[in-house]
Amino acid sequence: MKRIVYREWRLQPERYWGLLAILGAVAAIAGLAALYMEHHGHWVTGMTNQVVWGTPHVFAVFLIVAASGALNVASIGTVFGRTAYKPLGRLSGLLSIALLAGGLMVLVLDLGRPERLVVAATTYNFKSIFAWNIFLYTGFMVIVVAYLWTMAERKVNAYSKPVGYVAFVWRLLLTMGTGAIFGFLVARQAYDTAILPPMFIIMSFAYGLAIFILVLMFAYHQDKRPMGDVMLFKLKNLLGVFVAAILLLTLMYHLTKLYGTKNHGVEAFILMTGGIYTAMFWIGWILVGCLAPLGIVYHPVLGKDRTWIAAACGMVILGGLAAVYVIIIGGQAYPLEMFPGKTILASGFHDGVAGAAAWYSPSIPEVLLGIGGVAVALIITAVGVRVLQFLPESLSDQVVDPHVAAKG
Amino acid sequence: MTQEHDKVDGARRSFIGAAAGLTAATVAPGVILHTVAAAPRAEAVTDKVRWGMLIDTAKCADGCTACVQACDRENGLDLQIKPEGASEQMWDRQRAVWIRKVQVQDNLTGRVTNLPMLCQHCEHPPCVDVCPTGASFKRADGIVMVDRHTCIGCRYCMMACPYKARSFIHQVVAEKLTATPRGKGCVESCNLCVHRRDHGEASTACADACAAAGHHAIVFGDLKDAGSAVSKAMAAAVSRQIREDLDLNTGVRYSSI
Amino acid sequence: MANAVVRGLLAVTGLVWALGAQPVAADETFVTPGSNAAGLTSCVEPTDFMRRNHMEIIKHQRNTVVHQGIRDSKHTLAGCIDCHVAPGPDHKPVSVYAEGQFCHRCHAYAAVDVNCFGCHATVPTPATASKAASGEFGPDVAQVSDQGAAAGGNRP
């Protein structure tokens, strides 16, 4: 295929600095929110001794999962040899690092003692998946930087494939590690399942790709670079496949849990009686996150309209946030089943009297911190494409597809 | 090596046994008297003991919270103050609780049972497995506790505990006792009154309070010592672990439930 | 020649400054008057050693206490506080980390904020309930922990 020319993002300076200013303000507010939570203690948040992980963790896990999925596009080009995707590899790597950085920032700032990050980095209990995740996340950053280098530096282009393979495998391990955070917990009915690691992998494919498409469309539109239908529709159709896979794994998760009587309580909670969690599941996870985007992607008319495609990506993202909310917070809200066959009449520690779910409501500092993570990820991406030659000059059909080029 | 070394010297054994028994009989009254004001531990804990409890739910009285109040007093939990600006409901959800009373009713028979729920001090604690820094650990003598010097406050142990035994300290701690340091940002739970263990006292605050209230539902002691009160009580009663299907081999067992 | 003079002057100034900045002359003491320590010639270890190494002792000691349960060491933090706490005007013990008190004086000078007292009591309290009942700690054992710069106790 034609040699791809990469250029820095040439957005007008006023608009670029304006964008950075807005994102910077959001990130700064998040920093203040984190300081507020750390100084006073977590009593200022909605988190309690029953729901110990709240909105910051929803954002953090979402960003981390999306980060691994964002690298998918580069992997398709390098590992699976699809030439059409190769020009997108650099942005893919940058976006994955940016999203991971944003997610980790939120996670670390929500710790009860964030000043002990050095302790976390030097003292390890290797039976803990958290400890492994520290290595998986930081190692991922190093490997993706190396991957980007092999892609961008011509002298080491030959190493792009082996490094790409390592990055691909590492990414799968990382996402499985994130899913295993919950999958390994025997204590809670919603967790304790081997399907969570692969489900997180499939979710990462969809969420990462949706964010990637939106970032790509925005960057090209602002810089007036051509993006042809061939490339866009490839990505759109791929998104459709991934979203369908999410539906499949969600179905598997719930059908398996529904089969065993011991899980009927938690399934009824999530699917029927859980109030906000049920709404988030059906409307957020299933309808907005999966069915509507599928409908758009495979619609003969809407699926070819750029605005609708962007809307579908946005819906996948919202649905992803809802899904992570249901998994993390819904999973905690449902009471522990300590006395099967018995009902709890009274408890001094909110053990689920009469099966009642634990209370949780997102507080403003938590939401601000979570959004700040998104802002940090976008700042890194914006600065990266501005300063580095990561965006192909053109993704028009002639450039992307040799058949079109031959005809035209 | 040689046959002579491997053969047991029966006579020597019985002499030592008799001598030990005589010494114990002479010294024992003094030892028991001294346990209350005993010396602080001078040597590292070993796994020769394993601390545990048997809770007889049939003796646990409805409405009694003696164990809870004693634990609060012993560990400085009654010094917690609701932060200014927090609602009563949020405070109730966020304040640290190490032991609580739970009342359950059987769905079929309608029988009501009262019991205290606390950290079960499992032999295979999920909270220890998941702690990234190893702050949540099991001491050699079986006590599962948090090393607050290493805890980063990630609350993963709280997610992992099948008994929801842990609490996170949500606010600055203004007043604390020397024996039980506790502060903002770390996770804590029942440590079987480890400061009492290390100063040679016989029992935990909750067990003492339950006895003082006349119920004697909580029996504490060394599970590895067949002669201890708790071992004898377990031999006499049918007891079980809560959530025994998780196979955690808890140190706290319950009977009559 | 001029260069050498300038360099010499700078070196001398630097030396004088460094020597003058030594926080402690041989006979200056940071022990708070009225504390048990005020009446003692030296700490559990020689004063010079303690000044430079007390943090290592504390870090080692905390592991032996928490993980091994060894409580009879002369290096316990509770022991430090027992000895170094001084009574206030109302004869009640004042937090060792309050302004002007023992720990705070050096740490404020050295600008090293320690978060020990976020968790640890800053005045002596009974080790066990039975000791409290013995009355040796006086009728009133409530204390206020002042964390120096982060004062305010429980109020956010």
PDB file of all heavy atoms in Angstrom, chain A residues 25-49:
ATOM      1  N   ALA A  25      -8.644  22.341  33.533  1.00  0.00           N
ATOM      2  CA  ALA A  25      -9.497  22.784  34.636  1.00  0.00           C
ATOM      3  C   ALA A  25     -10.234  21.607  35.255  1.00  0.00           C
ATOM      4  O   ALA A  25     -10.331  21.485  36.479  1.00  0.00           O
ATOM      5  CB  ALA A  25     -10.484  23.835  34.129  1.00  0.00           C
ATOM      6  N   VAL A  26     -10.747  20.723  34.405  1.00  0.00           N
ATOM      7  CA  VAL A  26     -11.462  19.550  34.929  1.00  0.00           C
ATOM      8  C   VAL A  26     -10.515  18.700  35.760  1.00  0.00           C
ATOM      9  O   VAL A  26     -10.856  18.223  36.851  1.00  0.00           O
ATOM     10  CB  VAL A  26     -12.062  18.730  33.764  1.00  0.00           C
ATOM     11  CG1 VAL A  26     -12.666  17.442  34.283  1.00  0.00           C
ATOM     12  CG2 VAL A  26     -13.108  19.539  33.034  1.00  0.00           C
ATOM     13  N   ALA A  27      -9.292  18.506  35.265  1.00  0.00           N
ATOM     14  CA  ALA A  27      -8.321  17.692  36.002  1.00  0.00           C
ATOM     15  C   ALA A  27      -7.949  18.372  37.321  1.00  0.00           C
ATOM     16  O   ALA A  27      -7.781  17.703  38.348  1.00  0.00           O
ATOM     17  CB  ALA A  27      -7.081  17.465  35.146  1.00  0.00           C
ATOM     18  N   ALA A  28      -7.827  19.711  37.287  1.00  0.00           N
ATOM     19  CA  ALA A  28      -7.473  20.426  38.512  1.00  0.00           C
ATOM     20  C   ALA A  28      -8.577  20.292  39.557  1.00  0.00           C
ATOM     21  O   ALA A  28      -8.315  20.098  40.749  1.00  0.00           O
ATOM     22  CB  ALA A  28      -7.218  21.898  38.194  1.00  0.00           C
ATOM     23  N   ILE A  29      -9.830  20.399  39.097  1.00  0.00           N
ATOM     24  CA  ILE A  29     -10.947  20.238  40.029  1.00  0.00           C
ATOM     25  C   ILE A  29     -10.938  18.832  40.622  1.00  0.00           C
ATOM     26  O   ILE A  29     -11.208  18.635  41.813  1.00  0.00           O
ATOM     27  CB  ILE A  29     -12.283  20.534  39.316  1.00  0.00           C
ATOM     28  CG1 ILE A  29     -12.340  22.005  38.949  1.00  0.00           C
ATOM     29  CG2 ILE A  29     -13.472  20.148  40.183  1.00  0.00           C
ATOM     30  CD1 ILE A  29     -13.535  22.374  38.130  1.00  0.00           C
ATOM     31  N   ALA A  30     -10.603  17.865  39.782  1.00  0.00           N
ATOM     32  CA  ALA A  30     -10.516  16.496  40.294  1.00  0.00           C
ATOM     33  C   ALA A  30      -9.426  16.390  41.353  1.00  0.00           C
ATOM     34  O   ALA A  30      -9.578  15.713  42.370  1.00  0.00           O
ATOM     35  CB  ALA A  30     -10.221  15.529  39.152  1.00  0.00           C
ATOM     36  N   GLY A  31      -8.314  17.094  41.109  1.00  0.00           N
ATOM     37  CA  GLY A  31      -7.241  17.083  42.094  1.00  0.00           C
ATOM     38  C   GLY A  31      -7.692  17.675  43.411  1.00  0.00           C
ATOM     39  O   GLY A  31      -7.390  17.151  44.495  1.00  0.00           O
ATOM     40  N   LEU A  32      -8.460  18.749  43.334  1.00  0.00           N
ATOM     41  CA  LEU A  32      -8.981  19.360  44.558  1.00  0.00           C
ATOM     42  C   LEU A  32      -9.941  18.413  45.264  1.00  0.00           C
ATOM     43  O   LEU A  32      -9.935  18.304  46.497  1.00  0.00           O
ATOM     44  CB  LEU A  32      -9.699  20.674  44.222  1.00  0.00           C
ATOM     45  CG  LEU A  32      -8.789  21.834  43.835  1.00  0.00           C
ATOM     46  CD1 LEU A  32      -9.626  23.032  43.398  1.00  0.00           C
ATOM     47  CD2 LEU A  32      -7.902  22.232  45.002  1.00  0.00           C
ATOM     48  N   ALA A  33     -10.758  17.734  44.465  1.00  0.00           N
ATOM     49  CA  ALA A  33     -11.696  16.776  45.063  1.00  0.00           C
ATOM     50  C   ALA A  33     -10.934  15.668  45.785  1.00  0.00           C
ATOM     51  O   ALA A  33     -11.303  15.257  46.891  1.00  0.00           O
ATOM     52  CB  ALA A  33     -12.607  16.177  43.983  1.00  0.00           C
ATOM     53  N   ALA A  34      -9.855  15.206  45.173  1.00  0.00           N
ATOM     54  CA  ALA A  34      -9.056  14.141  45.793  1.00  0.00           C
ATOM     55  C   ALA A  34      -8.420  14.640  47.083  1.00  0.00           C
ATOM     56  O   ALA A  34      -8.375  13.930  48.097  1.00  0.00           O
ATOM     57  CB  ALA A  34      -7.980  13.658  44.822  1.00  0.00           C
ATOM     58  N   LEU A  35      -7.919  15.875  47.062  1.00  0.00           N
ATOM     59  CA  LEU A  35      -7.320  16.451  48.267  1.00  0.00           C
ATOM     60  C   LEU A  35      -8.362  16.562  49.381  1.00  0.00           C
ATOM     61  O   LEU A  35      -8.089  16.281  50.553  1.00  0.00           O
ATOM     62  CB  LEU A  35      -6.781  17.846  47.966  1.00  0.00           C
ATOM     63  CG  LEU A  35      -5.309  17.940  47.608  1.00  0.00           C
ATOM     64  CD1 LEU A  35      -4.960  19.363  47.236  1.00  0.00           C
ATOM     65  CD2 LEU A  35      -4.443  17.474  48.757  1.00  0.00           C
ATOM     66  N   TYR A  36      -9.556  16.986  48.999  1.00  0.00           N
ATOM     67  CA  TYR A  36     -10.640  17.125  49.965  1.00  0.00           C
ATOM     68  C   TYR A  36     -10.969  15.782  50.618  1.00  0.00           C
ATOM     69  O   TYR A  36     -11.096  15.664  51.829  1.00  0.00           O
ATOM     70  CB  TYR A  36     -11.851  17.704  49.232  1.00  0.00           C
ATOM     71  CG  TYR A  36     -13.104  17.852  50.051  1.00  0.00           C
ATOM     72  CD1 TYR A  36     -13.173  18.778  51.083  1.00  0.00           C
ATOM     73  CD2 TYR A  36     -14.240  17.097  49.774  1.00  0.00           C
ATOM     74  CE1 TYR A  36     -14.322  18.928  51.827  1.00  0.00           C
ATOM     75  CE2 TYR A  36     -15.391  17.242  50.514  1.00  0.00           C
ATOM     76  CZ  TYR A  36     -15.432  18.165  51.529  1.00  0.00           C
ATOM     77  OH  TYR A  36     -16.579  18.302  52.263  1.00  0.00           O
ATOM     78  N   MET A  37     -11.047  14.740  49.769  1.00  0.00           N
ATOM     79  CA  MET A  37     -11.367  13.413  50.307  1.00  0.00           C
ATOM     80  C   MET A  37     -10.248  12.903  51.190  1.00  0.00           C
ATOM     81  O   MET A  37     -10.475  12.236  52.198  1.00  0.00           O
ATOM     82  CB  MET A  37     -11.600  12.433  49.152  1.00  0.00           C
ATOM     83  CG  MET A  37     -12.910  12.634  48.446  1.00  0.00           C
ATOM     84  SD  MET A  37     -13.373  11.205  47.441  1.00  0.00           S
ATOM     85  CE  MET A  37     -12.279  11.394  46.085  1.00  0.00           C
ATOM     86  N   GLU A  38      -8.997  13.175  50.797  1.00  0.00           N
ATOM     87  CA  GLU A  38      -7.872  12.652  51.562  1.00  0.00           C
ATOM     88  C   GLU A  38      -7.728  13.386  52.881  1.00  0.00           C
ATOM     89  O   GLU A  38      -7.426  12.786  53.916  1.00  0.00           O
ATOM     90  CB  GLU A  38      -6.583  12.783  50.735  1.00  0.00           C
ATOM     91  CG  GLU A  38      -5.428  11.944  51.239  1.00  0.00           C
ATOM     92  CD  GLU A  38      -4.603  12.639  52.290  1.00  0.00           C
ATOM     93  OE1 GLU A  38      -4.508  13.883  52.223  1.00  0.00           O
ATOM     94  OE2 GLU A  38      -4.076  11.956  53.175  1.00  0.00           O
ATOM     95  N   HIS A  39      -7.981  14.687  52.871  1.00  0.00           N
ATOM     96  CA  HIS A  39      -7.769  15.472  54.081  1.00  0.00           C
ATOM     97  C   HIS A  39      -8.809  15.151  55.142  1.00  0.00           C
ATOM     98  O   HIS A  39      -8.487  14.963  56.311  1.00  0.00           O
ATOM     99  CB  HIS A  39      -7.811  16.959  53.729  1.00  0.00           C
ATOM    100  CG  HIS A  39      -7.673  17.847  54.922  1.00  0.00           C
ATOM    101  ND1 HIS A  39      -6.494  18.004  55.592  1.00  0.00           N
ATOM    102  CD2 HIS A  39      -8.566  18.602  55.577  1.00  0.00           C
ATOM    103  CE1 HIS A  39      -6.665  18.834  56.608  1.00  0.00           C
ATOM    104  NE2 HIS A  39      -7.924  19.218  56.621  1.00  0.00           N
ATOM    105  N   HIS A  40     -10.072  15.112  54.714  1.00  0.00           N
ATOM    106  CA  HIS A  40     -11.124  14.882  55.694  1.00  0.00           C
ATOM    107  C   HIS A  40     -11.333  13.417  55.987  1.00  0.00           C
ATOM    108  O   HIS A  40     -11.850  13.062  57.026  1.00  0.00           O
ATOM    109  CB  HIS A  40     -12.438  15.488  55.187  1.00  0.00           C
ATOM    110  CG  HIS A  40     -12.396  16.976  55.120  1.00  0.00           C
ATOM    111  ND1 HIS A  40     -12.384  17.767  56.230  1.00  0.00           N
ATOM    112  CD2 HIS A  40     -12.328  17.825  54.074  1.00  0.00           C
ATOM    113  CE1 HIS A  40     -12.331  19.037  55.869  1.00  0.00           C
ATOM    114  NE2 HIS A  40     -12.289  19.099  54.570  1.00  0.00           N
ATOM    115  N   GLY A  41     -10.954  12.596  55.025  1.00  0.00           N
ATOM    116  CA  GLY A  41     -11.276  11.184  55.159  1.00  0.00           C
ATOM    117  C   GLY A  41     -12.501  10.866  54.334  1.00  0.00           C
ATOM    118  O   GLY A  41     -13.237  11.751  53.919  1.00  0.00           O
ATOM    119  N   HIS A  42     -12.732   9.594  54.125  1.00  0.00           N
ATOM    120  CA  HIS A  42     -13.788   9.190  53.207  1.00  0.00           C
ATOM    121  C   HIS A  42     -15.193   9.410  53.723  1.00  0.00           C
ATOM    122  O   HIS A  42     -16.157   9.078  53.037  1.00  0.00           O
ATOM    123  CB  HIS A  42     -13.595   7.719  52.826  1.00  0.00           C
ATOM    124  CG  HIS A  42     -12.655   7.516  51.689  1.00  0.00           C
ATOM    125  ND1 HIS A  42     -11.335   7.876  51.726  1.00  0.00           N
ATOM    126  CD2 HIS A  42     -12.849   7.028  50.444  1.00  0.00           C
ATOM    127  CE1 HIS A  42     -10.753   7.603  50.580  1.00  0.00           C
ATOM    128  NE2 HIS A  42     -11.651   7.085  49.776  1.00  0.00           N
ATOM    129  N   TRP A  43     -15.347  10.017  54.899  1.00  0.00           N
ATOM    130  CA  TRP A  43     -16.709  10.250  55.364  1.00  0.00           C
ATOM    131  C   TRP A  43     -17.419  11.259  54.476  1.00  0.00           C
ATOM    132  O   TRP A  43     -18.646  11.289  54.435  1.00  0.00           O
ATOM    133  CB  TRP A  43     -16.719  10.698  56.826  1.00  0.00           C
ATOM    134  CG  TRP A  43     -16.308  12.108  57.090  1.00  0.00           C
ATOM    135  CD1 TRP A  43     -15.075  12.562  57.428  1.00  0.00           C
ATOM    136  CD2 TRP A  43     -17.155  13.276  57.056  1.00  0.00           C
ATOM    137  NE1 TRP A  43     -15.076  13.919  57.604  1.00  0.00           N
ATOM    138  CE2 TRP A  43     -16.338  14.393  57.385  1.00  0.00           C
ATOM    139  CE3 TRP A  43     -18.506  13.496  56.790  1.00  0.00           C
ATOM    140  CZ2 TRP A  43     -16.833  15.692  57.446  1.00  0.00           C
ATOM    141  CZ3 TRP A  43     -19.007  14.795  56.853  1.00  0.00           C
ATOM    142  CH2 TRP A  43     -18.171  15.872  57.176  1.00  0.00           C
ATOM    143  N   VAL A  44     -16.632  12.038  53.727  1.00  0.00           N
ATOM    144  CA  VAL A  44     -17.252  13.025  52.848  1.00  0.00           C
ATOM    145  C   VAL A  44     -17.774  12.405  51.548  1.00  0.00           C
ATOM    146  O   VAL A  44     -18.403  13.085  50.744  1.00  0.00           O
ATOM    147  CB  VAL A  44     -16.272  14.164  52.484  1.00  0.00           C
ATOM    148  CG1 VAL A  44     -15.827  14.877  53.742  1.00  0.00           C
ATOM    149  CG2 VAL A  44     -15.085  13.634  51.722  1.00  0.00           C
ATOM    150  N   THR A  45     -17.502  11.131  51.344  1.00  0.00           N
ATOM    151  CA  THR A  45     -17.986  10.465  50.130  1.00  0.00           C
ATOM    152  C   THR A  45     -19.225   9.645  50.451  1.00  0.00           C
ATOM    153  O   THR A  45     -19.675   9.580  51.575  1.00  0.00           O
ATOM    154  CB  THR A  45     -16.923   9.519  49.566  1.00  0.00           C
ATOM    155  OG1 THR A  45     -16.805   8.386  50.447  1.00  0.00           O
ATOM    156  CG2 THR A  45     -15.573  10.182  49.448  1.00  0.00           C
ATOM    157  N   GLY A  46     -19.758   9.007  49.399  1.00  0.00           N
ATOM    158  CA  GLY A  46     -20.903   8.125  49.609  1.00  0.00           C
ATOM    159  C   GLY A  46     -20.479   6.727  50.002  1.00  0.00           C
ATOM    160  O   GLY A  46     -21.325   5.865  50.254  1.00  0.00           O
ATOM    161  N   MET A  47     -19.184   6.481  50.046  1.00  0.00           N
ATOM    162  CA  MET A  47     -18.719   5.134  50.366  1.00  0.00           C
ATOM    163  C   MET A  47     -18.854   4.876  51.855  1.00  0.00           C
ATOM    164  O   MET A  47     -18.660   5.756  52.678  1.00  0.00           O
ATOM    165  CB  MET A  47     -17.262   4.978  49.909  1.00  0.00           C
ATOM    166  CG  MET A  47     -17.127   5.004  48.402  1.00  0.00           C
ATOM    167  SD  MET A  47     -15.439   4.772  47.853  1.00  0.00           S
ATOM    168  CE  MET A  47     -15.016   6.426  47.382  1.00  0.00           C
ATOM    169  N   THR A  48     -19.171   3.625  52.180  1.00  0.00           N
ATOM    170  CA  THR A  48     -19.431   3.258  53.569  1.00  0.00           C
ATOM    171  C   THR A  48     -18.701   1.954  53.873  1.00  0.00           C
ATOM    172  O   THR A  48     -17.926   1.474  53.045  1.00  0.00           O
ATOM    173  CB  THR A  48     -20.937   3.029  53.786  1.00  0.00           C
ATOM    174  OG1 THR A  48     -21.336   1.946  52.938  1.00  0.00           O
ATOM    175  CG2 THR A  48     -21.737   4.256  53.436  1.00  0.00           C
ATOM    176  N   ASN A  49     -18.966   1.376  55.023  1.00  0.00           N
ATOM    177  CA  ASN A  49     -18.370   0.082  55.328  1.00  0.00           C
ATOM    178  C   ASN A  49     -19.078  -1.065  54.611  1.00  0.00           C
ATOM    179  O   ASN A  49     -18.623  -2.201  54.660  1.00  0.00           O
ATOM    180  CB  ASN A  49     -18.390  -0.179  56.842  1.00  0.00           C
ATOM    181  CG  ASN A  49     -17.302   0.591  57.553  1.00  0.00           C
ATOM    182  OD1 ASN A  49     -16.229   0.778  57.013  1.00  0.00           O
ATOM    183  ND2 ASN A  49     -17.594   1.058  58.757  1.00  0.00           N
TER     184      ASN A  49
END
